[in-house]
Amino acid sequence: MNYFESAVVYQIYPLGLLGAELDNQIGLAPVSRIPKLNPWIEHMRRIGANAVYLCPVFESSHHGYDTKDFMKVDRRLGTNEELTGFVANCHNNGIKVVLDGVFNHVGRDFWAFRDVIANREQSHYAGWFYIDFGGNSNYNDGFWYEGWEGHFDLVKLNLSNPDVRKHILDAVKMWITDMGIDGLRLDVAYLLPHDFLRELCQFCRGAKPGFWILGEALHGDYKNLMDGGTIDSVTNYEC
């Protein structure tokens, strides 16, 4: 039986719990907040939780779901090494760690989107997004782009682009092999292409047997979302 079938999962939103600044200001030095999560390990053990799900921890502009860099821990929280240490401490206490995988969209400060703003059609990353250079955006960029359900601070990624997929899988590989995580909660999984879901899930389980994947489902065909050996479970927001 998969570990997570009987796990009690404790959820933490680190940016909020640890009192991080609301805005990730340019030039801000990393602030060592992640170690402050360590005392919560004993609390989780005391109440019977044996897994923890951390809401977004990677570099973002504001709330965590507007990613700037999948490869770096948010400087308002600390460093990659500090997150790796926390994961190891959890494992030493019998607690698995699940991270938030926000792969449908990124923030406007995501490095590849900033390159598009600077170089427009000449950008090597123009194909990473859904862009119309004949239109305009709410931010007056001089081009239109698709955002998550009309929210233009969240730029939709083109998950049919092989380079985008490779970048995401490279990031997830680092999270698994270097940081030691045990699972992912996929943000807005109901919007992710099914072939991408399949590729991602197969990749994760190939990298770490027993790896657990939860999909966020606001609405839609829950059964189809889990069909075919992809994600293990979904959120049931309709209920």
Coordinates of all heavy atoms in Angstrom, one line a residue, residues 156-221:
K156 N 0.1 32.1 -18.5 CA -0.1 30.7 -18.8 C 1.1 30.2 -19.6 O 1.5 30.8 -20.6 CB -1.4 30.5 -19.6 CG -1.7 29.0 -19.8 CD -3.1 28.9 -20.4 CE -3.4 27.4 -20.7 NZ -3.4 26.5 -19.5
L157 N 1.6 29.0 -19.1 CA 2.7 28.4 -19.8 C 2.2 27.5 -21.0 O 1.1 26.9 -20.9 CB 3.5 27.5 -18.9 CG 4.5 28.2 -17.9 CD1 4.9 27.2 -16.8 CD2 5.7 28.8 -18.6
N158 N 2.9 27.4 -22.0 CA 2.6 26.6 -23.2 C 3.2 25.2 -22.9 O 4.3 24.9 -23.2 CB 3.2 27.1 -24.5 CG 2.9 26.3 -25.7 OD1 2.2 25.3 -25.6 ND2 3.5 26.6 -26.8
L159 N 2.4 24.3 -22.3 CA 2.9 23.0 -21.9 C 3.0 22.0 -23.0 O 3.4 20.9 -22.8 CB 2.0 22.5 -20.8 CG 2.1 23.2 -19.4 CD1 1.0 22.7 -18.5 CD2 3.5 23.1 -18.8
S160 N 2.7 22.5 -24.2 CA 2.9 21.6 -25.4 C 4.3 21.9 -26.0 O 4.7 21.1 -26.9 CB 1.8 21.9 -26.5 OG 1.9 23.2 -27.0
N161 N 5.0 22.9 -25.4 CA 6.3 23.2 -25.9 C 7.3 22.2 -25.2 O 7.4 22.2 -24.0 CB 6.7 24.6 -25.6 CG 8.0 25.1 -26.1 OD1 9.0 24.4 -26.0 ND2 8.0 26.3 -26.7
P162 N 8.1 21.5 -25.9 CA 9.0 20.5 -25.3 C 10.1 21.2 -24.4 O 10.5 20.6 -23.4 CB 9.7 19.9 -26.5 CG 8.8 20.0 -27.7 CD 8.1 21.3 -27.4
D163 N 10.5 22.4 -24.7 CA 11.5 23.1 -23.9 C 10.9 23.5 -22.5 O 11.5 23.4 -21.5 CB 12.0 24.3 -24.6 CG 12.9 24.0 -25.8 OD1 13.4 22.9 -25.8 OD2 12.9 24.9 -26.7
V164 N 9.6 23.8 -22.5 CA 8.9 24.1 -21.3 C 8.8 22.9 -20.4 O 9.1 22.9 -19.2 CB 7.5 24.7 -21.5 CG1 6.7 24.9 -20.2 CG2 7.6 26.1 -22.3
R165 N 8.4 21.8 -21.0 CA 8.3 20.5 -20.3 C 9.6 20.1 -19.7 O 9.7 19.7 -18.6 CB 7.7 19.4 -21.2 CG 6.3 19.6 -21.6 CD 5.7 18.4 -22.2 NE 4.4 18.5 -22.7 CZ 3.5 17.6 -22.9 NH1 3.9 16.3 -22.8 NH2 2.3 17.8 -23.3
K166 N 10.7 20.2 -20.5 CA 12.0 19.9 -20.0 C 12.4 20.7 -18.8 O 13.0 20.2 -17.8 CB 13.0 20.0 -21.1 CG 14.5 19.6 -20.7 CD 15.5 19.7 -21.8 CE 16.8 19.2 -21.4 NZ 17.3 19.8 -20.2
H167 N 12.1 22.0 -18.9 CA 12.5 22.9 -17.8 C 11.8 22.5 -16.5 O 12.4 22.4 -15.4 CB 12.2 24.3 -18.2 CG 12.6 25.3 -17.1 ND1 13.9 25.6 -16.8 CD2 11.8 26.1 -16.2 CE1 13.9 26.5 -15.8 NE2 12.7 26.8 -15.5
I168 N 10.5 22.2 -16.6 CA 9.7 21.8 -15.5 C 10.2 20.4 -14.9 O 10.4 20.3 -13.7 CB 8.2 21.7 -15.8 CG1 7.6 23.1 -16.1 CG2 7.4 20.9 -14.7 CD1 6.2 23.1 -16.6
L169 N 10.5 19.5 -15.8 CA 11.0 18.2 -15.3 C 12.4 18.3 -14.7 O 12.7 17.6 -13.7 CB 11.0 17.2 -16.5 CG 9.6 16.8 -17.0 CD1 9.8 15.8 -18.1 CD2 8.7 16.3 -16.0
D170 N 13.2 19.2 -15.2 CA 14.5 19.4 -14.6 C 14.4 20.0 -13.2 O 15.1 19.6 -12.3 CB 15.3 20.4 -15.5 CG 15.9 19.8 -16.8 OD1 15.9 18.5 -16.9 OD2 16.3 20.5 -17.7
A171 N 13.4 20.9 -13.1 CA 13.2 21.4 -11.7 C 12.7 20.4 -10.8 O 13.2 20.2 -9.6 CB 12.2 22.6 -11.8
V172 N 11.7 19.6 -11.2 CA 11.2 18.5 -10.3 C 12.3 17.5 -10.0 O 12.3 17.0 -8.9 CB 10.0 17.8 -11.0 CG1 9.5 16.6 -10.2 CG2 8.8 18.8 -11.2
K173 N 13.1 17.2 -11.0 CA 14.2 16.2 -10.7 C 15.1 16.8 -9.6 O 15.5 16.0 -8.7 CB 15.1 16.0 -12.0 CG 16.2 15.0 -11.8 CD 17.0 14.8 -13.0 CE 18.1 13.8 -12.8 NZ 18.9 13.7 -14.1
M174 N 15.4 18.1 -9.6 CA 16.2 18.7 -8.5 C 15.5 18.6 -7.2 O 16.1 18.3 -6.2 CB 16.5 20.1 -8.9 CG 17.4 20.8 -7.9 SD 17.5 22.6 -8.0 CE 15.9 23.0 -7.2
W175 N 14.2 18.8 -7.2 CA 13.4 18.8 -5.9 C 13.5 17.4 -5.4 O 13.5 17.2 -4.1 CB 12.0 19.2 -6.2 CG 11.7 20.5 -6.8 CD1 12.7 21.5 -7.0 CD2 10.5 21.1 -7.2 NE1 12.1 22.6 -7.6 CE2 10.8 22.4 -7.7 CE3 9.2 20.6 -7.2 CZ2 9.8 23.2 -8.2 CZ3 8.2 21.4 -7.7 CH2 8.5 22.7 -8.2
I176 N 13.4 16.4 -6.2 CA 13.4 15.0 -5.8 C 14.8 14.5 -5.4 O 15.0 14.0 -4.3 CB 12.8 14.0 -6.8 CG1 11.4 14.4 -7.1 CG2 13.0 12.6 -6.4 CD1 10.8 13.6 -8.3
T177 N 15.8 14.7 -6.3 CA 17.1 14.1 -6.0 C 18.0 14.9 -5.1 O 18.7 14.4 -4.2 CB 17.9 14.0 -7.4 OG1 18.0 15.2 -8.0 CG2 17.2 13.0 -8.3
D178 N 17.9 16.3 -5.1 CA 18.7 17.1 -4.3 C 18.0 17.4 -2.9 O 18.7 17.4 -1.9 CB 19.0 18.4 -5.0 CG 19.9 18.2 -6.2 OD1 20.3 17.1 -6.4 OD2 20.2 19.2 -6.9
M179 N 16.7 17.7 -3.0 CA 16.0 18.0 -1.8 C 15.3 16.9 -1.1 O 15.0 16.9 0.1 CB 15.0 19.1 -2.1 CG 15.6 20.4 -2.6 SD 14.4 21.7 -3.1 CE 15.5 23.1 -3.4
G180 N 15.0 15.8 -1.8 CA 14.5 14.6 -1.2 C 13.0 14.6 -1.0 O 12.5 13.8 -0.2
I181 N 12.2 15.4 -1.8 CA 10.8 15.4 -1.5 C 10.1 14.1 -1.9 O 10.6 13.3 -2.7 CB 10.1 16.6 -2.3 CG1 10.1 16.4 -3.8 CG2 10.8 17.9 -1.9 CD1 9.2 17.3 -4.5
D182 N 8.9 13.9 -1.4 CA 8.2 12.7 -1.5 C 6.9 12.8 -2.3 O 6.3 11.7 -2.6 CB 7.8 12.1 -0.1 CG 9.0 12.1 0.8 OD1 9.9 11.2 0.5 OD2 9.1 12.9 1.7
G183 N 6.5 14.0 -2.7 CA 5.2 14.1 -3.4 C 5.0 15.5 -3.9 O 5.8 16.5 -3.5
L184 N 4.0 15.7 -4.8 CA 3.6 17.0 -5.3 C 2.1 17.2 -5.2 O 1.4 16.3 -5.3 CB 4.0 17.1 -6.8 CG 5.5 17.3 -7.2 CD1 5.6 17.2 -8.7 CD2 6.0 18.6 -6.6
R185 N 1.7 18.4 -4.9 CA 0.4 18.8 -5.1 C 0.4 19.7 -6.3 O 1.0 20.8 -6.3 CB -0.1 19.6 -3.8 CG -1.5 20.2 -3.9 CD -1.5 21.6 -4.4 NE -2.7 22.3 -4.3 CZ -2.9 23.5 -4.8 NH1 -2.0 24.1 -5.5 NH2 -4.1 24.1 -4.7
L186 N -0.4 19.3 -7.3 CA -0.4 20.1 -8.6 C -1.4 21.2 -8.6 O -2.6 20.9 -8.5 CB -0.6 19.1 -9.8 CG 0.5 18.0 -9.9 CD1 0.1 17.1 -11.1 CD2 1.9 18.6 -10.1
D187 N -1.0 22.4 -8.7 CA -1.9 23.5 -8.7 C -2.8 23.5 -10.0 O -2.2 23.1 -11.1 CB -1.1 24.8 -8.7 CG -2.0 26.0 -8.5 OD1 -2.7 26.1 -7.5 OD2 -1.9 26.9 -9.4
V188 N -4.0 23.8 -9.9 CA -5.0 23.8 -11.0 C -4.8 22.6 -12.0 O -4.7 22.8 -13.2 CB -5.1 25.1 -11.8 CG1 -5.5 26.2 -10.8 CG2 -3.8 25.5 -12.4
A189 N -4.7 21.4 -11.4 CA -4.4 20.2 -12.2 C -5.5 20.0 -13.3 O -5.3 19.4 -14.3 CB -4.3 19.0 -11.3
Y190 N -6.7 20.5 -13.0 CA -7.8 20.3 -14.0 C -7.6 21.1 -15.3 O -8.2 20.8 -16.3 CB -9.1 20.8 -13.4 CG -9.2 22.3 -13.1 CD1 -9.8 23.2 -13.9 CD2 -8.6 22.8 -11.9 CE1 -9.8 24.6 -13.7 CE2 -8.6 24.2 -11.6 CZ -9.2 25.0 -12.5 OH -9.2 26.4 -12.2
L191 N -6.6 22.0 -15.3 CA -6.2 22.7 -16.6 C -5.0 22.1 -17.3 O -4.7 22.5 -18.4 CB -6.0 24.2 -16.2 CG -7.2 25.0 -15.9 CD1 -6.8 26.4 -15.5 CD2 -8.2 25.0 -17.0
L192 N -4.3 21.2 -16.6 CA -3.1 20.7 -17.2 C -3.4 19.7 -18.3 O -4.3 18.8 -18.1 CB -2.2 20.0 -16.1 CG -1.8 20.9 -15.0 CD1 -1.0 20.1 -13.9 CD2 -0.9 22.1 -15.5
P193 N -2.7 19.7 -19.5 CA -3.0 18.7 -20.5 C -2.7 17.3 -20.0 O -1.8 17.1 -19.3 CB -2.0 19.1 -21.6 CG -1.6 20.6 -21.3 CD -1.7 20.7 -19.8
H194 N -3.6 16.4 -20.4 CA -3.5 15.0 -19.9 C -2.2 14.4 -20.3 O -1.6 13.6 -19.5 CB -4.7 14.2 -20.4 CG -4.9 13.0 -19.6 ND1 -5.5 13.0 -18.3 CD2 -4.6 11.7 -19.8 CE1 -5.6 11.8 -17.9 NE2 -5.1 10.9 -18.7
D195 N -1.7 14.7 -21.4 CA -0.4 14.0 -21.8 C 0.8 14.6 -21.0 O 1.7 13.9 -20.7 CB -0.1 14.2 -23.3 CG 0.0 15.6 -23.8 OD1 -0.7 16.5 -23.2 OD2 0.8 15.9 -24.7
F196 N 0.7 15.9 -20.6 CA 1.7 16.4 -19.7 C 1.6 15.8 -18.3 O 2.6 15.4 -17.7 CB 1.5 17.9 -19.6 CG 2.4 18.5 -18.5 CD1 3.7 18.7 -18.7 CD2 1.8 19.0 -17.3 CE1 4.5 19.2 -17.7 CE2 2.6 19.5 -16.3 CZ 3.9 19.6 -16.5
L197 N 0.4 15.6 -17.8 CA 0.2 14.9 -16.6 C 0.8 13.6 -16.6 O 1.5 13.2 -15.6 CB -1.3 14.8 -16.2 CG -2.0 16.0 -15.5 CD1 -3.5 15.7 -15.3 CD2 -1.3 16.3 -14.2
R198 N 0.5 12.8 -17.6 CA 1.1 11.5 -17.7 C 2.6 11.5 -17.7 O 3.2 10.7 -17.0 CB 0.5 10.8 -19.0 CG 1.0 9.3 -19.1 CD 0.4 8.7 -20.4 NE -1.0 8.8 -20.4 CZ -1.8 7.8 -19.9 NH1 -1.2 6.8 -19.3 NH2 -3.1 7.9 -19.9
E199 N 3.2 12.4 -18.5 CA 4.6 12.4 -18.6 C 5.2 12.8 -17.2 O 6.2 12.2 -16.8 CB 5.1 13.4 -19.7 CG 6.6 13.6 -19.8 CD 7.0 14.5 -20.9 OE1 6.1 15.2 -21.5 OE2 8.2 14.7 -21.1
L200 N 4.6 13.8 -16.6 CA 5.1 14.3 -15.3 C 5.0 13.1 -14.2 O 6.0 12.9 -13.5 CB 4.3 15.5 -14.8 CG 4.6 16.0 -13.4 CD1 6.0 16.5 -13.3 CD2 3.6 17.1 -13.0
C201 N 3.9 12.4 -14.2 CA 3.7 11.4 -13.2 C 4.7 10.2 -13.4 O 5.2 9.7 -12.5 CB 2.3 10.9 -13.2 SG 1.1 12.2 -12.6
Q202 N 4.8 9.8 -14.7 CA 5.8 8.7 -15.0 C 7.2 9.1 -14.6 O 8.0 8.3 -14.1 CB 5.7 8.4 -16.4 CG 4.4 7.7 -16.8 CD 4.2 7.4 -18.3 OE1 5.0 7.8 -19.1 NE2 3.2 6.6 -18.7
F203 N 7.5 10.4 -14.9 CA 8.9 10.9 -14.6 C 9.1 10.8 -13.1 O 10.2 10.4 -12.6 CB 9.0 12.3 -15.1 CG 10.3 12.9 -14.7 CD1 11.5 12.7 -15.6 CD2 10.5 13.7 -13.6 CE1 12.7 13.3 -15.3 CE2 11.7 14.3 -13.3 CZ 12.8 14.1 -14.1
C204 N 8.2 11.3 -12.3 CA 8.3 11.4 -10.8 C 8.4 10.0 -10.2 O 9.3 9.8 -9.4 CB 7.1 12.1 -10.2 SG 7.1 13.9 -10.5
R205 N 7.6 9.1 -10.7 CA 7.6 7.7 -10.1 C 8.9 7.0 -10.5 O 9.3 6.1 -9.8 CB 6.3 7.0 -10.4 CG 5.1 7.7 -9.8 CD 3.8 7.0 -10.0 NE 2.8 7.7 -9.4 CZ 1.7 8.3 -10.1 NH1 1.7 8.1 -11.4 NH2 0.8 9.0 -9.4
G206 N 9.4 7.3 -11.7 CA 10.6 6.7 -12.2 C 11.8 7.2 -11.3 O 12.8 6.5 -11.1
A207 N 11.7 8.5 -10.9 CA 12.8 9.1 -10.1 C 12.7 8.6 -8.7 O 13.8 8.5 -8.0 CB 12.7 10.6 -10.2
K208 N 11.5 8.3 -8.2 CA 11.3 7.9 -6.8 C 10.1 7.1 -6.6 O 9.0 7.6 -6.6 CB 11.2 9.1 -5.9 CG 11.3 8.8 -4.4 CD 11.5 10.1 -3.5 CE 11.8 9.8 -2.1 NZ 12.1 11.0 -1.3
P209 N 10.3 5.7 -6.5 CA 9.1 4.8 -6.4 C 8.3 5.2 -5.2 O 8.8 5.6 -4.1 CB 9.7 3.5 -6.2 CG 11.1 3.6 -6.9 CD 11.5 5.0 -6.6
G210 N 6.9 5.2 -5.3 CA 6.0 5.6 -4.2 C 5.8 7.1 -4.2 O 5.0 7.5 -3.3
F211 N 6.3 7.8 -5.1 CA 6.1 9.3 -5.1 C 4.6 9.5 -5.3 O 3.9 8.9 -6.1 CB 6.9 9.9 -6.3 CG 7.0 11.4 -6.2 CD1 8.1 11.9 -5.6 CD2 6.1 12.2 -6.9 CE1 8.2 13.3 -5.5 CE2 6.3 13.6 -6.8 CZ 7.3 14.1 -6.2
W212 N 4.1 10.5 -4.5 CA 2.6 10.7 -4.4 C 2.3 12.0 -5.1 O 3.0 13.0 -5.0 CB 2.2 10.8 -3.0 CG 0.7 10.9 -2.8 CD1 -0.3 9.9 -3.1 CD2 0.0 12.0 -2.2 NE1 -1.5 10.4 -2.7 CE2 -1.4 11.7 -2.2 CE3 0.4 13.2 -1.7 CZ2 -2.4 12.5 -1.7 CZ3 -0.6 14.1 -1.2 CH2 -1.9 13.7 -1.2
I213 N 1.2 12.0 -5.9 CA 0.8 13.2 -6.6 C -0.7 13.5 -6.4 O -1.6 12.7 -6.7 CB 1.1 13.1 -8.1 CG1 2.6 12.8 -8.3 CG2 0.6 14.3 -8.9 CD1 3.0 12.5 -9.8
L214 N -1.0 14.7 -5.9 CA -2.3 15.1 -5.6 C -2.6 16.3 -6.6 O -1.8 17.1 -6.8 CB -2.4 15.7 -4.2 CG -3.7 16.5 -3.9 CD1 -4.9 15.6 -3.8 CD2 -3.5 17.2 -2.5
G215 N -3.8 16.2 -7.2 CA -4.2 17.2 -8.2 C -5.3 18.1 -7.7 O -6.3 17.7 -7.1
E216 N -5.1 19.5 -7.8 CA -6.1 20.4 -7.4 C -7.2 20.4 -8.5 O -7.0 20.7 -9.7 CB -5.6 21.8 -7.3 CG -6.7 22.8 -6.8 CD -6.2 24.2 -6.9 OE1 -5.3 24.6 -7.7 OE2 -6.8 25.1 -6.2
A217 N -8.5 20.1 -8.1 CA -9.6 20.1 -9.0 C -10.7 21.0 -8.5 O -11.3 20.7 -7.5 CB -10.1 18.7 -9.2
L218 N -10.9 22.1 -9.1 CA -11.9 23.0 -8.8 C -13.3 22.5 -9.3 O -14.3 22.7 -8.7 CB -11.7 24.4 -9.3 CG -10.4 25.1 -8.9 CD1 -10.3 26.5 -9.5 CD2 -10.3 25.2 -7.4
H219 N -13.2 21.9 -10.5 CA -14.4 21.4 -11.1 C -14.0 20.5 -12.3 O -12.7 20.4 -12.5 CB -15.3 22.5 -11.7 CG -14.6 23.6 -12.4 ND1 -13.9 23.4 -13.6 CD2 -14.3 24.9 -12.1 CE1 -13.3 24.5 -14.0 NE2 -13.5 25.4 -13.1
G220 N -14.9 19.9 -13.0 CA -14.5 19.0 -14.1 C -14.7 17.5 -13.8 O -15.4 17.2 -12.9
D221 N -14.2 16.7 -14.7 CA -14.3 15.3 -14.7 C -13.3 14.7 -13.8 O -12.2 14.4 -14.2 CB -14.2 14.7 -16.1 CG -14.6 13.2 -16.1 OD1 -14.5 12.6 -15.1 OD2 -14.8 12.7 -17.3

